[in-house]
Amino acid sequence: MMEITVVRGDITTQRVDAVVNAANRAMRGGGGVDGAIHRAGGPAVLADCVARFPRGLDTGAAGWTTAGEMPARWVIHVVGPNYTAGERDRSLLLSCYTRALEVADELGASSVAFPLVSAGVYGWPKDDAIAAALETLRASATEVTEARIVAFDAATYDDVLAATRS
């Protein structure tokens, strides 16, 4: 059974098998979590994105690359819906978590660190982003033994922790 843990910190420093990147469709780096992962992982992450995803990824999809210079072995990239731009299909957000776990299983990853997909610059309401993550992680059949939700700030950490206890 998978354990869901919550930590406050920087996803790029997590000592897990894989970190999940909230990427954009182009898969060439960006802001927020995506930019942080590309900066921390170094040029190997971008080079692998270009090689593996020459046309990018669709919303709700997932794929993997090396983690480059980060302590994790892999980055699992997911493309969440952009709520601010009118992409409000919740099934696409749920798909990000489901597909990330499927990719983790394909890789043999037992520990995976997740951000709150789409909750940053893409503007998905935080309470629902937390609910979507927890619903999907709790319902998934996976070989992953630890799903770690990484909150960058104290308020988000408190919100996620409270939601895991309810």
Side-chain angles (χ1 to χ4, degrees):
M1 177 153 175
M2 180 172 53
E3 177 183 10
I4 299 172
T5 58
V6 184
V7 299
R8 180 174 175 214
D10 180 344
I11 198 164
T12 68
T13 64
Q14 300 301 304
R15 297 198 174 276
V16 292
D17 295 325
V19 295
V20 174
N21 179 22
N24 59 51
R25 281 189 211 81
M27 298 290 294
R28 301 298 182 262
V33 170
D34 194 20
I37 283 175
H38 277 267
R39 284 188 301 277
V45 176
L46 179 58
D48 216 5
C49 281
V50 170
R52 291 178 183 274
F53 311 105
R55 293 179 188 84
L57 269 178
D58 292 333
T59 302
W64 66 274
T65 65
T66 181
E69 299 169 27
M70 288 183 286
R73 184 168 177 191
W74 300 287
V75 176
I76 299 173
H77 304 267
V78 299
V79 179
N82 187 334
Y83 192 91
T84 304
E87 296 175 358
R88 308 220 168 149
D89 182 348
R90 192 172 192 262
S91 70
L92 293 172
L93 180 57
L94 300 176
S95 177
C96 289
Y97 292 95
T98 302
R99 288 290 303 129
L101 290 171
E102 290 170 355
V103 170
D105 285 343
E106 292 167 12
L107 294 168
S110 62
S111 57
V112 181
F114 289 86
L116 286 177
V117 177
S118 293
V121 70
Y122 279 10
W124 201 275
K126 189 165 60 168
D127 287 347
D128 191 50
I130 293 167
L134 292 174
E135 281 171 31
T136 311
L137 294 174
R138 287 175 174 155
S140 294
T142 180
E143 297 299 312
V144 172
T145 57
E146 181 194 6
R148 184 180 302 173
I149 299 175
V150 181
F152 190 70
D153 61 75
T156 301
Y157 171 80
D158 291 343
D159 290 345
V160 175
L161 191 61
T164 62
R165 293 180 175 161
S166 59

